[in-house]
């Protein structure tokens, strides 16, 4: 009889999945999140449809979707943690590890790449001393390359917390991240004023952006987008 020295299936293999069960939120935090969760769930005829905004809600609490956050979502929706984990690990907007105050995404899809996106990404990696998906030591900036965000007419594009910074260059991108890290005011090319990643996550959960003028700053199509219609 022979014996196998092969490891058990999955042993030593990381699937990026959280370890459960998870610790709970402190009572005051859970009470506050439950109030917000009830408001979100009430928007939908089927409660499980609220899972996506609820994941943004717990991401707004800790800056990423933690084991505790996923367990909370499962509990308030009557889902299994496996169902919640399947969704949280599918969508790239949900972070599964601590991230910076500002998610700096460089589009490296075809058009942005050939227009300078690859050069911008390489310049920022060297300038910040981090790789893709990594965060600077001060916790301010997480750098990542991103897929197309439908702004090809303004290529190459950099996004910060999903706000657009159009027609970027390596030098301009370096100045952008330096300003973010120094706390200097930064204004997107178009759209709402910039806010932190946690604040962005709460807005994506469906709560109003109460900053003065933010709701009216959505912007419209720029000249490059409309050129073909003229």
């Amino acid at each position: 009889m022979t014996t196998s020295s092969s490891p058990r299936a999955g042993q030593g293999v990381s699937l990026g999945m959280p370890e459960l069960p998870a610790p709970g939120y402190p009572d005051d935090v859970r009470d506050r999140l439950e109030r917000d969760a009830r408001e979100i769930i009430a928007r939908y005829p089927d409660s499980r449809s609220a899972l996506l905004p609820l994941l943004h809600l717990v991401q707004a609490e800790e800056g990423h979707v933690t084991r505790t956050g996923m367990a909370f979502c499962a509990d308030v929706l009557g889902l299994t943690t496996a169902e919640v984990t399947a969704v949280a690990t599918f969508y790239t907007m949900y972070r599964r590890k601590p991230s910076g105050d500002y998610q700096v995404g460089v589009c490296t899809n075809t058009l942005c790449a050939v227009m300078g996106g690859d050069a911008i990404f390489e310049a920022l990696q060297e300038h910040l001393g981090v790789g893709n998906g990594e965060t600077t030591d001060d916790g301010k900036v997480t750098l990542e390359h991103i897929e197309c965000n439908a702004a090809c007419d303004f290529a190459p594009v950099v996004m910060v917390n999903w706000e657009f910074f159009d027609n970027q260059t390596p030098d301009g991108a370096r100045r952008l991240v330096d300003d973010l890290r120094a706390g200097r005011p930064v204004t997107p090319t178009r759209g709402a004023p910039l806010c932190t990643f946690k604040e962005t996550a709460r807005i994506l959960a469906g709560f109003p952006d109460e900053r003065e003028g933010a709701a009216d700053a959505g912007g419209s199509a720029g000249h490059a987008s409309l050129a073909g219609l003229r």
Side-chain angles (χ1 to χ4, degrees), residues 109-172:
N109 264 202
T110 305
L111 183 57
C112 276
V114 300
M115 294 291 286
D118 284 345
I120 290 171
F121 187 70
E122 291 172 5
L124 289 182
Q125 283 186 302
E126 180 179 354
H127 185 64
L128 295 172
V130 298
N132 182 52
E134 295 179 349
T135 302
T136 54
D137 290 339
D138 58 8
K140 292 293 186 181
V141 170
T142 297
L143 178 66
E144 61 179 348
H145 67 78
I146 56 176
E147 299 300 318
C148 181
N149 274 270
C152 302
D153 35 0
F154 296 101
V157 169
V158 172
M159 300 195 78
V160 180
N161 294 347
W162 308 111
E163 299 296 345
F164 289 99
F165 291 80
D166 301 330
N167 304 122
Q168 288 294 296
T169 65
D171 285 344

Side-chain angles (χ1 to χ4, degrees), residues 85-108:
T85 301
V87 174
T89 56
F90 180 82
Y91 292 103
T92 59
M93 288 181 75
Y94 300 123
R95 311 300 180 189
R96 299 192 298 279
K97 61 182 181 180
S99 297
D101 292 335
Y102 300 99
Q103 306 283 318
V104 176
V106 182
C107 181
T108 53

Side-chain angles (χ1 to χ4, degrees), residues 19 24 205 210:
E19 297 178 5
E210 297 179 346

Side-chain angles (χ1 to χ4, degrees), residues 25 55-70 93-100 103 197-198 201:
Y25 286 118
L55 285 168
H56 283 300
L57 176 68
V58 297
Q59 183 158 256
E61 186 64 32
E62 299 181 83
H64 65 296
V65 177
T66 64
R67 297 185 294 129
T68 299
M70 283 190 272
M93 288 181 75
Y94 300 123
R95 311 300 180 189
R96 299 192 298 279
K97 61 182 181 180
S99 297
Q103 306 283 318
F197 183 63
K198 287 184 178 180

Side-chain angles (χ1 to χ4, degrees), residues 163-224:
E163 299 296 345
F164 289 99
F165 291 80
D166 301 330
N167 304 122
Q168 288 294 296
T169 65
D171 285 344
R174 281 189 284 260
R175 288 193 297 272
L176 171 62
V177 296
D178 285 347
D179 287 343
L180 291 172
R181 298 182 75 184
R184 291 188 285 267
V186 171
T187 303
T189 308
R190 50 203 165 98
L194 196 63
C195 57
T196 67
F197 183 63
K198 287 184 178 180
E199 292 168 334
T200 300
R202 184 168 177 83
I203 294 168
L204 291 173
F207 292 97
D209 186 345
E210 297 179 346
R211 295 173 299 159
E212 184 176 355
D216 299 323
S220 60
H223 173 76

